[in-house]
Amino acid sequence: MNEENELSYFKGGLAIGVSLGIISGIASTLWYQKKRTLDADLVLENVKAAFLKEGPIEGSWIEFEKKPLRKFAVHSKTYNGGISRLEDGTMVQYEFTADAFTGTVIDVKRIKD
């Protein structure tokens, strides 16, 4: 009878240990997904693809350093970059700001000559 109790305690402990391991694994995966940022090259490729829908581009760049952005109560990290292209025979440059977590373009500005 004593051996049966010890085996029962072992099985119970094993079940609790496995359950805690699975729960902590799921929690850490969710936390990592929330904190993970996109690669700057991927963000630039997405912005270039959007600009290419309107015509060819001549050049592009992006800063790999993420910069904090705060607009009212919203806090995020962003990438800054730029696109240049010919419009009516004149080189025009645009600067953009994109969210580092989603890749969404937050702002685009045309640079004046």
Side-chain angles (χ1 to χ4, degrees):
M1 194 84 145
N2 196 14
E3 287 182 23
E4 290 178 13
N5 283 340
E6 288 179 12
L7 186 59
S8 175
Y9 287 138
F10 176 75
K11 287 180 181 177
L14 183 62
I16 290 173
V18 168
S19 300
L20 287 175
I22 290 171
I23 291 171
S24 64
I26 291 170
S28 63
T29 299
L30 292 174
W31 177 83
Y32 175 74
Q33 291 292 333
K34 184 179 177 185
K35 297 293 182 182
R36 181 179 61 140
T37 59
L38 296 175
D39 185 44
D41 287 325
L42 178 63
V43 173
L44 181 60
E45 290 302 317
N46 291 338
V47 174
K48 284 170 49 176
F51 270 84
L52 283 170
K53 290 178 183 176
E54 295 184 3
I57 60 174
E58 296 294 317
S60 61
W61 60 272
I62 193 164
E63 293 179 6
F64 283 85
E65 181 180 340
K66 294 179 264 316
K67 295 188 178 177
L69 175 73
R70 179 177 180 207
K71 283 198 173 193
F72 305 107
V74 178
H75 298 266
S76 188
K77 291 184 180 182
T78 60
Y79 291 118
N80 293 327
I83 301 282
S84 58
R85 65 200 231 172
L86 287 174
E87 291 181 359
D88 298 326
T90 306
M91 184 67 69
V92 178
Q93 295 184 10
Y94 295 90
E95 280 188 356
F96 66 86
T97 302
D99 186 271
F101 296 102
T102 63
T104 304
V105 176
I106 297 170
D107 190 25
V108 178
K109 296 178 187 173
R110 183 177 175 159
I111 306 299
K112 298 182 180 182
D113 297 332

